[in-house]
Amino acid sequence: MEIERVEAFQVQWSPDDTPTQRSAFVRIWTDDGHHGIGEASPMMGGLASLGVIINDIAPTLIGADPLDHAVIQDRLMHGNLVKLGPDGALTGALAAIDIALWDLKGKLFNLPIYKLLGGAWRTDLPFYASIGGNGAERSLDAVLRHVERRLEDKPSAIKIRFDNPRVNLDTDISNHLAKARAVRKLVGDDFPLAFDSNNGYSTGGAMKVGRVLEELGYWWFEEPVQHFHIRATGEIAQRLSITVSAGEQTYTTGGLVELIDAGVRMIQPDIIKMGGITGLLRCAALAQAHGVELVSHQTQPMIGHLANLHVCAAQLHLTKPCEWNDPSDRMHAIFDEPPLPKDGKFHLSDRLGLGIDFIEGELAKRRIDV
């Protein structure tokens, strides 16, 4: 058995979607007719990652053993492709390939991925509702309405995200804090809350916000400063009592080590940016070895989400709920069993591989080959 072909394509969810608003998927086929599906980071439509897959990765995979997923990943990462980054487009491409190979492996061995990872500590996984778009573009009342709607899904926690262009720091702190206070008042003193600034503050601004979040009893403070300011992130983590997290925009285990060495005690790599399932497993081992929390970031609701859930199911120290981004049913049409929570949890089945696949006719209506 060997890899016969690799497909890499975008999916356009609505006719109005631009190329940068689409999702980036792969499918790997073996010569005996089996296939696995994967997803790359959709930043800018995943076009850079798909280009790497089509032009550089796919030709080298033909004839390879699909069970050699770790060897394949390291060979690609440490070969000539390392000159392309390795952050960002390359690791997103490797993630898509790796997830597809794990999905394929599960189908070949008639097992869900979490069984291949050594078994699940849990298959019923609580989630936190991740709510974006709470900056200047959304009023305080609108933020509260969004939180109220997400509470209907019975999340174990809520994270409010303050998306911003990252070029104007500290410009809207009073607005952010007013919303943080209002959300705390809405949900009550004991409900777990998290706050994601999306790199929006200077070190001083982050300290000001962090101290208020401590008073409000927020659970964690995510990406307080620009992601490349590792020492500043560590300084803030050490000076505040609230847990400070980072790592969504870190693409290698070496980068995570730098965050940990700086003083960050909760790392948040993303499975579709950090080399897929193989990459995230290495992050989990790294976190356990250093005694820090691994709370993986994941905002893609289908393939990436399920891949993340399988790793979380097999994760020894799962200290926080799994992320579930702003829900939308626009992706449901092309997948046979879209993952949806029930009674406040996602429930992994014993279906083979990831537990999801494309509906061919619906995919064909929306697929755009790159």
Side-chain angles (χ1 to χ4, degrees):
M1 180 184 59
E2 59 185 36
I3 296 174
E4 184 176 70
R5 61 190 170 96
V6 179
E7 303 174 34
F9 53 91
Q10 288 185 311
V11 170
Q12 183 176 21
W13 302 110
S14 71
D16 297 330
D17 282 353
T18 66
T20 61
Q21 294 174 312
R22 301 168 186 163
S23 294
F25 297 126
V26 301
R27 182 157 49 180
I28 298 176
W29 292 87
T30 62
D31 57 357
D32 59 359
H34 289 90
H35 75 272
I37 61 175
E39 180 172 14
S41 172
M43 297 297 101
M44 306 306 293
L47 287 169
S49 291
L50 292 180
V52 170
I53 292 170
I54 293 166
N55 297 312
D56 301 291
I57 292 178
T60 71
L61 293 182
I62 306 307
D65 186 335
L67 300 181
D68 291 344
H69 49 81
V71 172
I72 287 170
Q73 178 159 146
D74 287 338
R75 180 174 289 136
L76 291 169
M77 171 65 93
H78 297 290
N80 291 333
L81 290 181
V82 76
K83 301 297 185 181
L84 298 178
D87 294 357
L90 172 57
T91 51
L94 295 178
I97 295 297
D98 184 78
I99 292 170
L101 291 176
W102 275 99
D103 183 43
L104 175 58
K105 187 176 182 179
K107 293 170 180 174
L108 292 172
F109 285 92
N110 296 312
L111 291 169
I113 289 172
Y114 64 78
K115 283 290 187 183
L116 298 175
L117 300 180
W121 292 96
R122 78 241 6 120
T123 55
D124 297 336
L125 294 143
F127 69 91
Y128 71 84
S130 182
I131 305 173
N134 298 304
E137 70 278 13
R138 183 175 291 168
S139 70
L140 188 150
D141 286 343
V143 171
L144 296 180
R145 288 196 299 271
H146 275 77
V147 171
E148 287 174 331
R149 281 197 291 270
R150 296 302 301 277
L151 286 170
E152 295 174 2
D153 295 319
K154 300 180 181 178
S156 295
I158 282 177
K159 180 173 79 178
I160 51 174
R161 309 197 317 265
F162 292 87
D163 309 319
N164 63 81
R166 298 178 175 84
V167 293
N168 298 313
L169 305 180
D170 298 347
T171 56
D172 209 19
I173 286 178
S174 60
N175 176 43
H176 294 179
L177 291 180
K179 291 171 179 175
R181 291 187 177 100
V183 172
R184 169 51 77 202
K185 183 178 180 180
L186 173 69
V187 302
D189 292 339
D190 298 327
F191 190 86
L193 291 173
F195 184 106
D196 184 356
S197 81
N198 271 302
N199 318 116
Y201 308 129
S202 67
T203 301
M207 290 298 301
K208 178 180 179 179
V209 172
R211 290 192 179 106
V212 174
L213 296 179
E214 289 173 344
E215 295 173 1
L216 294 172
Y218 271 66
W219 207 358
W220 77 81
F221 184 14
E222 190 168 329
E223 287 195 319
V225 296
Q226 299 282 292
H227 76 277
F228 42 77
H229 290 322
I230 295 172
R231 289 174 59 189
T233 305
E235 177 187 353
I236 295 163
Q238 293 300 296
R239 292 173 62 190
L240 293 174
S241 61
I242 187 174
T243 296
V244 171
S245 68
E248 169 192 344
Q249 297 176 91
T250 303
Y251 304 91
T252 65
T253 52
L256 291 178
V257 168
E258 291 179 346
L259 281 172
I260 294 169
D261 285 347
V264 175
R265 291 297 174 261
M266 178 171 151
I267 55 173
Q268 295 194 275
D270 192 309
I271 198 167
I272 59 171
K273 298 179 181 180
M274 178 61 84
I277 292 171
T278 301
L280 194 57
L281 288 173
R282 292 171 176 175
C283 295
L286 178 70
Q288 187 175 0
H290 285 82
V292 303
E293 294 181 82
L294 173 70
V295 182
S296 49
H297 176 274
Q298 177 46 228
T299 57
Q300 305 314 302
M302 295 293 161
I303 296 176
H305 180 63
L306 275 169
N308 184 58
L309 289 182
H310 279 277
V311 176
C312 289
Q315 185 178 334
L316 173 58
H317 295 140
L318 189 68
T319 58
K320 301 290 191 298
C322 301
E323 184 169 18
W324 188 35
N325 197 26
D326 303 298
S328 169
D329 61 1
R330 68 180 190 148
M331 298 186 181
H332 292 189
I334 73 165
F335 291 102
D336 57 359
E337 291 188 25
L340 292 170
K342 181 184 293 185
D343 297 324
K345 293 182 179 180
F346 283 94
H347 303 270
L348 284 176
S349 71
D350 59 0
R351 190 176 171 187
L352 311 185
L354 287 168
I356 197 172
D357 215 334
F358 294 122
I359 300 172
E360 293 301 328
E362 296 299 327
L363 173 62
K365 296 176 185 177
R366 299 163 176 83
R367 172 172 168 157
I368 297 177
D369 290 306
V370 179

